[in-house]
Amino acid sequence: MLNLRKLFWCLFPFALGILIGFLSTQYTLFTIKYEVDIVPSFFSVLTILIGVYIAVVIQKNISDKRVQKDIFIERLVELKEATNKIDDEINSSRRFNELNAMFKNFSSKLSILESLLSHARISKFNTDLAKLKANLLTYKRAATGAVASNNVFTYSPAELIKLNRARLEILKKIDIFILDINTI
Amino acid sequence: MAEIVVNIAEEFSKTPGPRSKAEGLFSAEEFLDTILVGKFREALESGKKLTIVLDGTAGYATSFLEGTFGELVRRVSKREVKSTIQFISNEEPYLIDEINQYIDNA
């Protein structure tokens, strides 16, 4: 059943073409020329080739870039989630090993993103990456450079303000990064 | 050049702690006193490189890294530390830049 349908749709355009050709020759309005004009034919072939080029090469590039963008954005969203998890820990238990592990996780994710960008040979985000790395270090220093006791970090009100500022700066940089990625 | 290797996760702890012994277990102070200074001297005397493997742990607090490598610079010299120690960190490559900053700023 499926094969018959496929066959029909393969043959139908040919049959339609033959019918249109036949009907057009029945009217004096249409005449068939038996010589070929080189210049218009050349432009027709050129137009077809450009059409094929756009369809095959450019469309593929656009689609590849979209896939790349989606992967980078997905990674950046993961970084935002990692930042929020760190913030949750800072605002609740402030456990020493958990916070260190969370920063390690964030740092690993960021280095994977850097590898992906370099693998895709996209260097225009080097500035965004460098800024994000610097912000990560500021945030990590503020969070894990504090005094610890009984496997828990303790923060003064001033340190908490610094931490919040560093977190917001990271979130802002990630959003800018996402916007920049959307421009490629 | 031959090298001496210190794997922190295997030889010290998978959960490195805070800066000082008073703050908690597996501190930078403890690491420095029990392992690093001895291995560093051994490397220095034998003219070997000291390779520190940072992988395999749950993560490092800034206080541990500064308390270890910054303190080592304060005890010996920046030049000796820079020429003797090299780091391996495949899981968290940015750690090496971070440690180098503590060494430079010590």
Side-chain angles (χ1 to χ4, degrees), chain A residues 12-170:
Chain A
F12 179 72
F14 288 105
L16 192 66
I18 290 165
L19 184 66
I20 291 169
F22 173 73
L23 289 175
S24 16
T25 53
Q26 302 307 302
Y27 296 96
T28 49
L29 193 64
F30 300 105
T31 54
I32 294 174
K33 278 169 74 178
Y34 290 98
E35 66 262 8
V36 177
D37 292 332
I38 294 294
V39 176
S41 304
F42 170 75
F43 281 114
S44 299
V45 170
L46 192 68
T47 309
I48 289 166
L49 289 176
I50 290 171
V52 170
Y53 175 75
I54 290 170
V56 176
V57 180
I58 296 180
Q59 282 297 336
K60 190 182 175 304
N61 278 351
I62 291 170
S63 146
D64 286 353
K65 271 192 178 166
R66 186 65 256 169
V67 171
Q68 275 183 4
K69 277 184 197 178
D70 287 346
I71 290 170
F72 299 147
I73 290 169
E74 200 178 296
R75 297 284 170 176
L76 284 163
V77 169
E78 281 178 13
L79 286 179
K80 272 180 112 169
E81 287 166 3
T83 310
N84 290 330
K85 271 189 182 172
I86 291 171
D87 186 49
D88 287 346
E89 185 64 32
I90 287 169
N91 288 319
S92 55
S93 357
R94 300 171 184 177
R95 290 164 297 175
F96 187 89
N97 291 329
E98 277 69 11
L99 265 173
N100 290 338
M102 284 174 181
F103 274 102
K104 179 177 181 176
N105 179 40
F106 187 109
S107 176
S108 304
K109 282 183 193 303
L110 189 58
S111 71
I112 289 170
L113 176 67
E114 187 176 11
S115 314
L116 288 174
L117 286 167
S118 99
H119 185 74
R121 292 180 187 154
I122 301 172
S123 57
K124 68 184 276 197
F125 302 118
N126 284 352
T127 320
D128 286 318
L129 261 172
K131 282 180 185 167
L132 204 47
K133 268 196 260 182
N135 286 128
L136 165 65
L137 191 55
T138 307
Y139 193 30
K140 188 185 171 185
R141 275 180 182 157
T144 70
V147 177
S149 64
N150 298 324
N151 201 29
V152 169
F153 283 111
T154 47
Y155 304 114
S156 66
E159 283 171 332
L160 282 172
I161 291 170
K162 203 174 164 187
L163 274 166
N164 198 40
R165 202 176 292 149
R167 178 183 65 90
L168 291 175
E169 201 57 40
I170 284 189

